[in-house]
């Protein structure tokens, strides 16, 4: 039997297996799921081991990761497949059609937390390898799996694992499927990802909440001040006002501009898909440019004062906000965290205390656009989708991709199987069953194509 026939035969079984994977609530951010993280890592390792891929669950200091290896021959290239089994918290639960960890099929979608980000995409590669091992008995390339449990938590411990296991992880190329196609039937290979910088800002005023009748007018309100500070981080043209913020911003090359110009884009359709009523962002750039090639700043959450039922008239003692900034080459999280802190301290009035906690983040990445690996990936994608992939930059971040380059010297192929409207990080996350199957077939084709590349 050929790998592609095996795949046809396995279409419905594979979906049941993916559902099993999705039923394990592997939320990395919340400690109540700690045991499920272990269970999920073990599920992945067992799955790989069952098809004779030597696998282990490795401790990292944080959530465990899964390493698996299959050696075909010394002459074949080695492909390191990276992905993550951890998922985002499922809240808000009341907006889900079903329970987030009880997958259902509806209108051609599989709906569950992790369906597209990233369990469904990782599983497509696991099945790709399986299709070879269960038919021809060997894979055309050497394969190493690195499937971690902390991607959604900025891969805090993976860097060290990679630094300590350089030999074990040595390879010729990395493959990551943790992003999106350009659209339905429009596959994409990404040549860049944005980076990210995190800060938490806390404004502290009186040493306890005060009656806003007795003290209002005398004592500054930390929530009012925090809102004012946040309001001053962007100007009316959508530009970020932090001093020096744009110092190291990379300007797109002509080739990149051409790629952007080639992308079909319907603004009203895009807008409608968000449920928002107007597009908004930095003046002077198209929507696509703004989401992929320009840095941004967003408050992810804001807290302070009374949020319970009814009214409570107080001057809250403190207020805080979690802020992230998306970075483009050649910005770094350290530089941007420092600049954000300096600017906020500069504009904050002295009658409150401002505490800025800098959490760092990850660097943006660009991968070469003229390599034989990329050509091979492009062929594999085309053989399945029957159209050439678009070359795109993505607005999201995958922290470890940069480490693959700096520590292991490896470039990464970013081949997304999902869709932008798969509701990653949102309620009703989903993955088109058709995309899962095409992802799987692409994986099979990819190993074949990569085997022909001489490193
Ligand atoms: N799979 C995403 C990254 C992604 C999103 C790539 C959209 C391409 C398009 C990944 O799981 C993710 O969510 N990353 C976080 C990283 C953060 C926690 C450091 C992100 O981008 O917010
Ligand atoms: Mn992901
Ligand atoms: Mn994610």
């Amino acid at each position: 039997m050929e790998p592609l026939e095996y795949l046809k035969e396995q279409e419905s079984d594979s979906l049941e297996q993916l559902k099993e994977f999705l039923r394990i609530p592997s939320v990395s951010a919340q400690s109540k799921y700690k045991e499920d993280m272990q269970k999920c890592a073990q599920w992945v390792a067992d799955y790989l081991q069952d098809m004779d891929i030597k696998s282990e669950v490795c401790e990292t200091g944080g959530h465990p990761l899964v390493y698996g290896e299959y050696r075909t021959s010394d002459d074949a290239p080695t492909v390191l497949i990276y992905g993550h089994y951890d998922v985002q918290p499922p809240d808000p639960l009341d907006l889900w059609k079903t329970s987030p960890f009880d997958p259902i099929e509806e209108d051609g979608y599989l709906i569950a937390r992790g369906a597209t980000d990233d369990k469904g995409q990782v599983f497509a590669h696991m099945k790709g390898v399986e299709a070879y091992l269960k038919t021809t008995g060997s894979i055309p390339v050497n394969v190493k799996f690195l499937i971690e449990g902390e991607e959604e938590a900025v891969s805090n411990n993976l860097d060290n694992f990679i630094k300590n296991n350089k030999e074990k992880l040595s390879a010729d190329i990395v493959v990551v499927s943790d992003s999106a196609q350009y659209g339905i039937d429009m596959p994409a290979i990404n040549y860049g990802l944005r980076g990210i910088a995190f800060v938490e800002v806390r404004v502290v005023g009186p040493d306890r909440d005060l009656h806003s009748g007795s003290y209002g007018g005398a004592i500054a309100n930390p929530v009012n001040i925090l809102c004012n500070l946040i309001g001053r981080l962007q100007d009316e043209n959508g530009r970020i006002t932090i001093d020096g913020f744009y110092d190291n911003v990379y300007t797109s090359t002509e080739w990149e501009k051409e790629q952007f110009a080639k992308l079909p884009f319907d603004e009203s359709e895009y807008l409608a898909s968000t449920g928002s009523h107007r597009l908004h962002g930095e003046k002077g750039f198209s929507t696509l440019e703004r989401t992929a090639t320009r840095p941004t700043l967003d408050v992810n959450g804001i807290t302070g004062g009374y949020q319970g039922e009814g009214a409570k008239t107080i001057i809250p003692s403190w207020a805080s906000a979690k802020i992230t900034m998306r970075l483009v080459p050649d910005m770094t999280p350290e530089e941007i965290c420092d600049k954000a802190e300096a600017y906020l301290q500069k504009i904050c009035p002295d009658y409150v205390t401002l505490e800025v906690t800098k959490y760092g983040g990850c660097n943006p990445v660009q991968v070469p656009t003229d390599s034989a690996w990329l050509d091979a990936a492009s062929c594999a994608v085309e053989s399945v989708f029957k159209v050439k992939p678009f070359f795109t930059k993505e607005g999201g971040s995958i922290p470890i991709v940069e480490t693959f380059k700096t520590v292991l010297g490896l470039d990464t192929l970013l081949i997304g199987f999902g869709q932008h409207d798969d509701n990653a990080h949102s309620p009703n996350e989903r993955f088109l069953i058709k995309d899962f199957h095409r992802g799987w077939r692409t994986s099979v084709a990819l190993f074949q194509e990569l085997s022909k590349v001489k490193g």
Side-chain angles (χ1 to χ4, degrees):
M1 202 194 309
E2 287 294 308
L4 289 174
E5 283 171 62
Y6 175 80
L7 202 144
K8 192 85 214 141
E9 199 184 275
Q10 275 265 311
E11 272 191 359
S12 72
D13 282 1
S14 66
L15 213 56
E16 292 312 309
Q17 293 160 335
L18 175 54
K19 285 183 195 168
E20 224 181 280
F21 190 11
L22 291 166
R23 279 191 198 105
I24 311 171
S26 46
V27 180
S28 52
Q30 298 173 345
S31 48
K32 67 174 174 187
Y33 294 105
K34 195 166 188 293
E35 270 174 39
D36 295 301
M37 293 299 293
Q38 187 73 40
K39 232 169 87 183
C40 198
Q42 196 59 54
W43 188 92
V44 174
D46 289 347
Y47 195 96
L48 294 176
Q49 192 66 52
D50 282 349
M51 54 168 139
D52 277 338
I53 293 187
K54 210 170 74 201
S55 303
E56 50 184 329
V57 172
C58 305
E59 293 310 322
T60 62
H63 297 300
L65 61 78
V66 181
Y67 177 75
E69 186 178 327
Y70 185 89
R71 194 144 193 92
T72 299
S73 98
D74 287 347
D75 302 327
T78 301
V79 180
L80 177 63
I81 302 168
Y82 164 84
H84 62 97
Y85 70 81
D86 65 321
V87 301
Q88 287 274 325
D91 340 38
L93 290 178
D94 53 329
L95 293 182
W96 283 79
K97 293 182 181 174
T98 54
S99 153
F101 300 107
D102 195 4
I104 57 158
E105 290 174 49
E106 194 183 279
D107 300 331
Y109 283 98
L110 189 59
I111 305 175
R113 172 58 88 227
T116 191
D117 188 11
D118 179 35
K119 287 176 174 174
Q121 300 196 55
V122 164
F123 197 57
H125 285 297
M126 290 163 66
K127 295 298 285 185
V129 164
E130 179 183 327
Y132 281 103
L133 293 178
K134 292 279 162 81
T135 56
T136 63
S138 83
I139 316 168
V141 291
N142 302 312
V143 167
K144 294 180 178 180
F145 278 103
L146 179 65
I147 302 175
E148 71 150 322
E150 297 192 306
E151 195 275 344
E152 302 291 8
V154 210
S155 302
N156 279 329
N157 297 288
L158 188 57
D159 253 43
N160 268 337
F161 182 86
I162 291 177
K163 284 178 191 148
N164 294 335
N165 290 278
K166 281 197 217 170
E167 198 50 44
K168 187 178 185 138
L169 296 170
S170 68
D172 295 291
I173 187 76
V174 183
V175 169
V176 177
S177 292
D178 187 24
S179 53
Q181 300 175 46
Y182 185 67
I184 304 271
D185 299 325
M186 291 190 271
I189 296 180
N190 312 131
Y191 61 91
L193 295 169
R194 285 196 290 193
I196 197 165
F198 289 86
V199 293
E200 194 160 336
V201 181
R202 194 176 155 91
V203 174
V204 184
D207 64 3
R208 61 195 185 282
D209 294 350
L210 300 173
H211 193 295
S212 66
S214 308
Y215 293 94
I219 300 295
N221 181 320
V223 179
N224 293 24
I225 291 177
L226 178 62
C227 291
N228 178 268
L229 295 179
I230 290 170
R232 289 164 69 187
L233 291 172
Q234 266 145 332
D235 70 14
E236 62 286 0
N237 293 321
R239 282 191 55 102
I240 293 147
T241 46
I242 294 170
D243 299 316
F245 188 81
Y246 292 93
D247 282 357
N248 298 315
V249 169
Y250 166 96
T251 315
S252 298
T253 62
E254 286 309 311
W255 183 85
E256 289 170 10
K257 286 184 190 154
E258 270 165 40
Q259 299 307 307
F260 274 100
K262 271 192 216 163
L263 298 169
F265 187 69
D266 183 331
E267 289 219 331
S268 47
E269 209 175 280
Y270 176 82
L271 180 62
S273 78
T274 67
S276 188
H277 62 268
R278 209 165 74 78
L279 292 171
H280 175 75
E282 188 184 359
K283 273 218 177 100
F285 297 91
S286 70
T287 303
L288 280 178
E289 284 173 321
R290 296 199 305 270
T291 57
T293 71
R294 299 295 297 169
T296 51
L297 180 149
D298 283 288
V299 178
N300 304 128
I302 180 163
T303 319
Y306 181 67
Q307 285 159 21
E309 204 179 339
K312 187 180 184 212
T313 47
I314 53 166
I315 295 173
S317 165
W318 58 269
S320 80
K322 290 179 190 281
I323 300 176
T324 52
M325 290 155 278
R326 294 282 168 177
L327 316 180
V328 300
D330 300 305
M331 304 165 92
T332 69
E334 295 74 25
E335 169 220 358
I336 291 302
C337 283
D338 286 348
K339 287 178 173 171
E341 178 183 34
Y343 178 72
L344 284 161
Q345 290 292 3
K346 183 179 94 176
I347 63 172
C348 185
D350 61 4
Y351 37 84
V352 289
T353 309
L354 179 72
E355 295 161 10
V356 178
T357 312
K358 299 179 279 187
Y359 292 109
C362 73
N363 281 332
V365 289
Q366 295 244 84
V367 298
T369 48
D370 58 351
S371 81
W373 302 109
L374 199 74
D375 295 344
S378 183
C379 272
V381 169
E382 190 178 350
S383 74
V384 173
F385 287 82
K386 309 297 174 211
V387 289
K388 286 198 188 324
F390 289 98
F391 287 100
T392 59
K393 275 189 165 180
E394 270 293 355
S397 314
I398 306 174
I400 212 64
V401 173
E402 212 232 348
T403 310
F404 290 137
K405 185 72 190 177
T406 53
V407 177
L408 299 177
L410 296 178
D411 287 320
T412 297
L413 295 168
L414 298 158
I415 311 172
F417 297 146
Q419 300 289 344
H420 284 116
D421 64 358
D422 275 346
N423 298 327
H425 297 203
S426 291
N428 303 310
E429 180 175 345
R430 58 192 190 172
F431 193 24
L432 268 173
I433 293 166
K434 189 172 156 194
D435 280 339
F436 169 52
H437 289 142
R438 290 196 292 199
W440 178 6
R441 293 213 295 276
T442 303
S443 176
V444 168
L446 183 66
F447 298 136
Q448 190 63 49
E449 292 300 330
L450 293 177
S451 74
K452 301 177 200 159
V453 179
K454 295 273 165 283

